[in-house]
Amino acid sequence: MRGDDVADGGAAGGDPMGGGRTRRALDGGALSPDARALCEAMTAGFPGPGDVAALRAAAAAGPRPPGPEVARVHDARADGVPVRIYDPAPAPGAGGGRPLVVYLHGGGWVMCGLDTHDALCRELAAGSGAVVVSVDYRLAPEHPWPAATDDALAVLLWARAEAEALGCDPDRLVVAGDSSGGNLAAVTALRAPGLIAAQLLAYPALDASMGSESVTTYGRDHFHTAAHMAWYWDQYGGDPAHPHVSPARAPDLSGLPRTLMLLADCDLLRDEGLAYGRRLAAAGVDCEVRLHPGVFHGFLGLPLPAARAARAAAAAWLTTVRPTPGGRGA
């Protein structure tokens, strides 16, 4: 599947905003029963927008099933930025051709961190054989834009420089993230043309204007609310029209790397993700969009069948990443 084809739970569909089997979901899909039950339970224990300390405490207290065993996991600093490195098969002193993934966690730029996304990073590393570098970037509102984007770029450049020491191919460098981390991943790809082989974006926040139809359709009663998202954008700061704040505002997407985008059907950010996927395809980027029906924002780390399938598919996709054109491994 290439261009603006869309996968509906993993199977090929048609134009993401066109007819056929994907149209029903795009006109207003419903949560699956297990997703609805989980959504209601999570919503009941999650604070409204406005209290940073309460939101951070809720995110830290959430249940976190352990991820798979990974041969070596250790904390380090990458050009001064705290990171956690997951190596599923370390080979000291030997270079290798494995992919290297820089992962940027979600959390509205104000919460979450290495521990909240530990299981997900373990699963990506174990399932793909890639080394994963999870980034503990500075959070807003204490550190507004561009602090997080600068940390993300610093770690990416560090990872490329250290790739061979980590047993990876510097030309198989991937930037990845979910939600606000997907925003940071997309921005990093814009800021580092030619250095990244692929980007993996899970339900990314791409446009601070929040003007898409899915914001109206799913902005309430689906855990991640429009009120929360608007508040997160306010805390993050920056010019909403700047492409390093809102990647959807970038005038030219040509030259961006191969892309996999994972979207939740019942998510207020869905339509901006679909629109970005269409623009990437129109710019000649190898872009695959997988739209997962019956799930809500943040599903990738949840105990849902669709999430397990999406994580496994994402890890499998990472194994297919090829070196950047003209790179040493090309």
Side-chain angles (χ1 to χ4, degrees):
M1 183 187 316
R2 293 294 180 264
D4 63 351
D5 286 352
V6 61
D8 185 359
D15 185 327
M17 298 303 286
R21 176 165 67 76
T22 60
R23 183 68 183 187
R24 177 209 55 79
L26 292 171
D27 282 344
L31 292 175
S32 67
D34 54 349
R36 170 53 67 190
L38 185 56
C39 178
E40 291 177 354
M42 291 173 61
T43 300
F46 198 70
D51 188 332
V52 173
L55 287 164
R56 289 175 179 169
R64 289 192 294 274
E69 288 294 324
V70 173
R72 184 170 187 235
V73 179
H74 68 285
D75 292 348
R77 285 192 170 268
D79 197 17
V81 181
V83 296
R84 183 169 295 169
I85 302 173
Y86 302 80
D87 191 336
R98 297 179 296 173
L100 178 57
V101 180
V102 173
Y103 194 88
L104 298 149
H105 67 80
W109 303 282
V110 304
M111 59 188 168
C112 297
L114 300 179
D115 292 339
T116 57
H117 286 64
D118 181 76
L120 175 57
C121 289
R122 286 174 177 272
E123 196 157 347
L124 290 176
S128 68
V131 172
V132 175
V133 179
S134 182
V135 184
D136 196 14
Y137 57 84
R138 288 171 290 173
L139 298 177
E142 296 90 343
H143 304 284
W145 184 89
T149 61
D150 288 347
D151 287 353
L153 182 61
V155 174
L156 181 97
L157 296 176
W158 174 90
R160 186 171 173 86
E162 296 295 323
E164 291 184 353
L166 294 169
C168 298
D169 183 346
D171 295 315
R172 296 183 75 191
L173 183 59
V174 181
V175 65
D178 63 287
S179 191
S180 57
N183 167 285
L184 297 175
V187 168
T188 302
L190 289 169
R191 296 182 73 187
L195 298 184
I196 299 172
Q199 59 178 343
L200 170 57
L201 310 178
Y203 33 84
L206 298 168
D207 191 345
S209 72
M210 295 178 58
S212 66
E213 184 177 346
S214 58
V215 173
T216 301
T217 305
Y218 298 111
R220 296 179 61 186
D221 303 322
H222 290 83
F223 180 63
H224 181 47
T225 70
H228 281 92
M229 191 70 244
W231 184 79
Y232 296 149
W233 279 116
D234 286 345
Q235 306 313 298
Y236 186 48
D239 178 358
H242 196 296
H244 295 169
V245 175
S246 297
R249 305 292 187 91
D252 182 9
L253 302 183
S254 61
L256 284 175
R258 179 185 176 197
T259 302
L260 174 62
M261 197 174 317
L262 308 176
L263 303 178
D265 181 31
C266 304
D267 179 9
L268 64 91
L269 299 182
R270 181 198 65 193
D271 288 355
E272 59 195 69
L274 290 172
Y276 199 64
R278 286 198 306 272
R279 286 195 60 208
L280 286 167
V285 176
D286 181 352
C287 177
E288 180 177 354
V289 176
R290 298 183 183 180
L291 178 65
H292 293 268
V295 292
F296 58 97
H297 186 87
F299 81 96
L300 196 60
L302 299 178
L304 293 169
R308 288 190 286 272
R311 293 191 299 266
W317 181 84
L318 289 172
T319 69
T320 71
V321 171
R322 296 292 174 257
T324 50
R328 284 168 285 180

